[in-house]
Amino acid sequence: MAAVAMASRTQHRRSMKSPTFLFLYFLSIIVATGTPSTAAPTGDSSVTFELYDNGASSGGVNVTLSRSQFKTGPEGDEPGLAFAIDMSRLVNVSKHMAKTPVVATRAYREDGELITSFEQLGAADGMEEAQPPRRVYLVADGLEFVWPFVELGHMQTVSTSVIPLATGEGGEPVVLESMSERPRVFRVHNFHTAEEAEQLIEAALSATGDNALKRSTVGSGKDKDGIDIAHTEVGRTSDNAWDHSSPAAQVSVTRSFQLTRMVEDTGKRDGLQIVRYKPGQGYNIHPDYFTPKDDVDFDFHPYSGGSNRFATVFLYLNDVEEGGFTIFPQAKGVVPRQDPPPGALDMFEPNTWQHRVTKQCYTQLAVPPKQGTAALFYSITPDGQIDHSSHHAACPVTKGLKWGANMWIWNRQRYGEIRTGEKRSLIIRNDADETVYVSWEGRDQAVLHPRGSTFMNTFEFHRFKAHFGSHKGETIGEYTVQTDPQKQEWNIKPPRIHSLRTEEERDTTCIADGTCAVNS
């Protein structure tokens, strides 16, 4: 009997079209060819792989799937959507606070590839059989892929179709080294070349005006009175510049988005920050995420459609003689305890944060600064919650210089100062069967009835959100005005199905007149 992935008609009417539409939609993507099992139909090629929840290191199931059982969906549907929905019935897909079971809308392979074809589930080129079997991870609608930890020291080569080889001498595939499961921390090898690192440092040293190298600050944006929130603080003693345009910066931004498996979007990142630490300089323990205390009117919770810093990619641009690690004090102690180098603690007064953090650098989880590598860590858990264990610090440099580059990537349009570019025009259409409320930077902007549309003059980089219920209601879509084209369109789609049918409903399909049929 073929299992059918379909949403509960009673619990999620908001996110669906008519029952007839749903019946036809799922009928088109769920072909009754049998449930994946340990044996494939005679004469039909098959693959066996391990299926997991997003970012999970355990709880996977072995799945044997024939070519004819691989769901492809109707023409024009998102690649891989039908397969992800179909697989959702085999493992528990997680999304905090969501009604269960939850439907996945994307599935990723262990090397980061989005699964869109049956061939991706098989062995690598030149191998008769995948050893060990491929691993596949299901990502719930509205959330982002998180690389799995697997085990301490696990080395995962990233597919070159996800991150192409870095240009320059000695280009090698990017490799993720697992360092901590909670917080989720990886050391990224072969992330950039020496030439790219040197170009970023040169760009920082030559920057002028607001982008010039100066004392680092904390906080961002402006308050309600238009006053700059950013300010210097005793807990952050580095200098930093901003690089918005150099070729090396553009490459680093693109590669950071590729690493997190997110579509590059200027509205989902902060600027690339180039930081310099001299001897004695560091950054005290702090988080990268925001909380409601930063703005009570902003939704910082990804699981509910809100936006926050999702992942941080920190590039190490040079080899540091001594110190300069990135530490995670709340991670389990997985490094041998050792004493700081002679004289390191003598640089700081006792009972100062520098003295304390320098001690922790040699007793806590620490990512070492080495040119060509990066640290990847997540401020958000795989099920969409803020990870309060992701606090980290930049250990004071005790010998030499440290150069690095920070890239903060958001799961949705980022919170902060409104950026305005050149004039653009925008047509917004509501393709949902329910009234949609459109907001601009948190301000009420428009109300669109089903199939309605509106035209507005706007500017590059302006960010809009679509909501159900009210302008503060559930976020169902977002749009950032791009540089091209001059005239742009945003078609607001109804949200993807959020849950599978209940166990009692799964073997039955009902159409609009109430007639139900058993799926076989």
Side-chain angles (χ1 to χ4, degrees):
M1 181 176 294
V4 178
M6 194 171 188
S8 166
R9 300 186 304 278
T10 57
Q11 294 179 348
H12 295 280
R13 191 174 303 278
R14 165 182 293 178
S15 63
M16 297 189 295
K17 297 186 179 181
S18 68
T20 302
F21 171 83
L22 278 179
F23 172 69
L24 294 174
Y25 176 78
F26 282 102
L27 201 61
S28 66
I29 66 170
I30 308 291
V31 181
T33 53
T35 301
S37 62
T38 57
T42 303
D44 194 2
S45 60
S46 65
V47 292
T48 298
F49 56 92
E50 296 176 355
L51 186 67
Y52 293 86
D53 184 23
N54 185 23
S57 299
S58 60
V61 297
N62 290 321
V63 178
T64 297
L65 189 74
S66 69
R67 181 181 296 275
S68 60
Q69 289 173 323
F70 184 89
K71 310 301 186 217
T72 56
E75 184 178 353
D77 213 341
E78 296 176 14
L81 172 64
F83 171 73
I85 290 176
D86 186 42
M87 292 295 102
S88 299
R89 58 197 167 82
L90 301 180
V91 297
N92 292 325
V93 180
S94 63
K95 184 177 184 180
H96 185 60
M97 300 283 291
K99 295 179 180 179
T100 57
V102 177
V103 161
T105 52
R106 284 165 295 149
Y108 290 89
R109 206 167 66 177
E110 79 281 350
D111 60 359
E113 286 192 16
L114 177 69
I115 300 294
T116 60
S117 69
F118 176 78
E119 286 72 21
Q120 289 173 286
L121 299 172
D125 292 343
M127 298 180 63
E128 294 184 1
E129 187 176 347
Q131 293 292 339
R134 292 289 192 188
R135 301 189 311 276
V136 175
Y137 298 87
L138 298 179
V139 181
D141 186 30
L143 298 182
E144 299 297 335
F145 172 69
V146 173
W147 287 96
F149 171 73
V150 185
E151 62 182 5
L152 179 63
H154 178 74
M155 305 292 281
Q156 177 60 61
T157 300
V158 179
S159 170
T160 54
S161 68
V162 173
I163 305 180
L165 297 178
T167 57
E169 184 178 351
E172 298 285 345
V174 170
V175 176
L176 291 175
E177 179 184 354
S178 296
M179 299 195 71
S180 171
E181 183 163 28
R182 185 74 180 265
R184 192 65 54 90
V185 181
F186 299 92
R187 188 183 188 194
V188 187
H189 299 268
N190 310 321
F191 192 67
H192 57 276
T193 66
E195 292 81 6
E196 291 166 347
E198 292 165 3
Q199 290 170 17
L200 290 173
I201 294 173
E202 291 173 3
L205 291 171
S206 61
T208 59
D210 292 340
N211 296 326
L213 195 66
K214 60 175 70 74
R215 172 71 182 269
S216 297
T217 59
V218 298
S220 64
K222 299 181 183 298
D223 63 18
K224 294 181 179 179
D225 297 321
I227 299 174
D228 199 346
I229 295 173
H231 60 280
T232 59
E233 191 174 270
V234 67
R236 189 181 190 192
T237 55
S238 60
D239 301 301
N240 74 261
W242 298 93
D243 190 344
H244 302 294
S245 59
S246 78
Q250 294 171 1
V251 168
S252 298
V253 169
T254 296
R255 203 171 287 148
S256 295
F257 272 99
Q258 292 169 339
L259 179 64
T260 58
R261 301 303 291 119
M262 293 181 63
V263 176
E264 186 173 345
D265 186 338
T266 56
K268 292 183 178 181
R269 67 173 177 88
D270 297 275
L272 185 69
Q273 184 186 70
I274 313 300
V275 291
R276 180 186 65 189
Y277 294 89
K278 296 178 180 179
Q281 292 182 333
Y283 194 175
N284 198 7
I285 299 168
H286 64 282
D288 280 353
Y289 59 77
F290 290 79
T291 71
K293 292 181 180 179
D294 296 295
D295 189 335
V296 295
D297 295 323
F298 192 89
D299 182 5
F300 290 109
H301 298 291
Y303 65 81
S304 61
S307 178
N308 212 322
R309 283 177 174 168
F310 168 67
T312 300
V313 182
F314 188 89
L315 288 68
Y316 300 104
L317 303 182
N318 71 316
D319 294 333
V320 181
E321 185 176 352
E322 187 177 280
F325 299 91
T326 305
I327 64 160
F328 298 84
Q330 297 186 47
K332 293 181 179 179
V334 294
V335 293
R337 297 178 67 89
Q338 55 184 301
D339 294 327
L345 291 178
D346 295 336
M347 296 177 63
F348 312 107
E349 292 291 331
N351 301 320
T352 61
W353 72 262
Q354 294 97 328
H355 193 277
R356 183 187 69 254
V357 169
T358 299
K359 276 187 174 181
Q360 291 177 311
C361 289
Y362 298 93
T363 58
Q364 306 286 156
L365 175 68
V367 181
K370 181 176 176 58
Q371 187 184 68
T373 68
L376 166 66
F377 55 94
Y378 292 90
S379 295
I380 304 299
T381 61
D383 65 351
Q385 299 183 73
I386 293 173
D387 188 351
H388 297 285
S389 70
S390 62
H391 286 64
H392 54 283
C395 297
V397 171
T398 50
K399 285 185 182 179
L401 283 177
K402 173 186 174 182
W403 283 95
N406 253 332
M407 172 54 56
W408 295 288
I409 296 180
W410 294 65
N411 65 298
R412 291 179 182 267
Q413 296 176 45
R414 87 177 171 88
Y415 168 81
E417 184 176 1
I418 300 172
R419 185 181 173 196
T420 297
E422 299 298 322
K423 290 182 178 180
R424 297 291 182 265
S425 63
L426 177 65
I427 296 175
I428 305 176
R429 295 188 175 89
N430 178 15
D431 289 345
D433 288 333
E434 184 173 337
T435 299
V436 167
Y437 298 80
V438 178
S439 64
W440 167 73
E441 302 292 352
R443 299 170 176 83
D444 299 355
Q445 186 69 25
V447 178
L448 296 179
H449 297 293
R451 311 304 168 187
S453 64
T454 187
F455 170 86
M456 62 181 66
N457 291 312
T458 183
F459 297 87
E460 288 178 286
F461 316 122
H462 278 200
R463 301 165 299 188
F464 297 85
K465 286 189 176 182
H467 312 265
F468 276 153
S470 71
H471 285 98
K472 299 295 184 183
E474 176 191 357
T475 300
I476 63 162
E478 57 185 40
Y479 185 83
T480 300
V481 178
Q482 304 296 311
T483 300
D484 294 312
Q486 184 78 26
K487 298 179 181 179
Q488 301 180 33
E489 295 184 6
W490 176 27
N491 293 322
I492 301 172
K493 303 292 185 182
R496 291 297 179 188
I497 307 308
H498 290 287
S499 72
L500 293 172
R501 295 186 302 168
T502 63
E503 289 291 341
E504 291 78 15
E505 293 177 298
R506 285 183 187 167
D507 292 329
T508 306
T509 299
C510 300
I511 57 177
D513 64 2
T515 303
C516 297
V518 174
N519 301 300
S520 59

